[in-house]
Amino acid sequence: MTPITGSIVAIVTPMHEDGSVDYPALRKLIDWHIAEGTDCIGVVGTTGESPTVDVEEHEEIIRVAVEQAAGRVPIMAGCGANSTAEAIELARYAQQVGADCQLQVVPYYNKPTQEGQYRHFRSIAEAVGDLPMVLYNVPGRTVADMQHDTVLRLAQVPGIVGIKEATGNLERAQWLIRDVSPGFAIYSGDDPTAVALMLCGGQGNISVTANVAPRLMHELCVAAIAGDRHKAMEIQFRLMPLHKHLFVEANPIPVKWAMARLGLCGPTLRLPMTPLDSAHEAVVERALQSAGLL
């Protein structure tokens, strides 16, 4: 796989009012992101409501995304599960339909040990070695936290090519950038601190903000990766209200409201996600305005 750098949108899964997946809207979003400069499209992650789509929908979202992108940008398929066997099956499907890489989250809820995490990811890589894997550490959601030494061990496994570091802890990210083997990519999974991670040597940002500001996030990533601190921070200051207020409630509640406000897709979420509280609508709208999107 050609190394992916830049803005990787953690894309929402559009839904009709009845809660069914809106595949035509997903296709339109993919075309829009490509036109706006998004460097890679990540599907069926947290922002894509992976916990509430069933297996058939999960696979179809990946298939439709690959088909619609048609090689214009890479597709990063969310294939994570807290069952190693299920994660392998999702990854095999993603491989079969032509995804460019897979995103594999630390198993959630069952709290595997560091050795358990190592064996989980190694088993997937060995089973689906032709589909490059990006690890995903987000202990705020999974509870289990992949430690530094475990990442370094996994970076030596063939087929594991990077990590989405979503702790927001820049010291941790810097240690990884310092210690990982050459060619292993460090991506931010935390919009507020992504610019700093890239200025420290990271390769990109897997972004929620990019759902509503893809052009700006692409330009921020280009500048930060190139070491253009002034340009990167000019854009960062413009986007900071979005970085903050798109998390005023659990993701993807605010970003789906924002996308509906911009006319990009409908606001429907599946339970247990609920619509954005009306008390928060004004602050999200002001964030959109501050970025020049309204």
Side-chain angles (χ1 to χ4, degrees), residues 59-129:
E59 293 180 343
E60 182 64 1
I61 292 164
I62 294 171
R63 189 197 68 78
V64 167
V66 171
E67 180 180 84
Q68 192 65 26
R72 292 176 291 170
V73 296
I75 296 296
M76 180 180 289
C79 298
N82 59 355
S83 159
T84 305
E86 181 181 340
I88 288 171
E89 290 306 307
L90 287 170
R92 283 177 172 158
Y93 181 85
Q95 180 186 39
Q96 289 168 8
V97 298
D100 296 275
C101 59
Q102 57 177 307
L103 184 68
Q104 286 286 356
V105 70
V106 170
Y108 39 86
Y109 185 75
N110 45 10
K111 299 174 68 174
T113 64
Q114 295 304 301
E115 182 63 22
Q117 292 178 43
Y118 173 77
R119 294 188 189 186
H120 171 80
F121 293 116
R122 187 188 67 187
S123 296
I124 300 166
E126 290 173 350
V128 200

Side-chain angles (χ1 to χ4, degrees), residues 42 47 83 85 88 135-136 149 174 177 204 222 252:
T47 313
S83 159
I88 288 171
L135 308 168
Y136 179 15
D149 289 347
Q174 289 176 79
I177 292 166
V222 168

Side-chain angles (χ1 to χ4, degrees), residues 9-60:
V9 63
I11 201 168
V12 303
T13 298
M15 295 176 182
H16 296 290
E17 289 185 6
D18 65 1
S20 59
V21 177
D22 187 346
Y23 292 105
L26 176 62
R27 290 180 183 275
K28 289 180 182 178
L29 280 179
I30 288 169
D31 287 342
W32 179 65
H33 274 285
I34 293 169
E36 289 292 302
T38 294
D39 299 289
C40 174
I41 295 172
V43 295
V44 216
T46 305
T47 313
E49 294 181 72
S50 59
T52 56
V53 297
D54 63 33
V55 173
E56 291 77 15
E57 291 168 326
H58 193 132
E59 293 180 343
E60 182 64 1

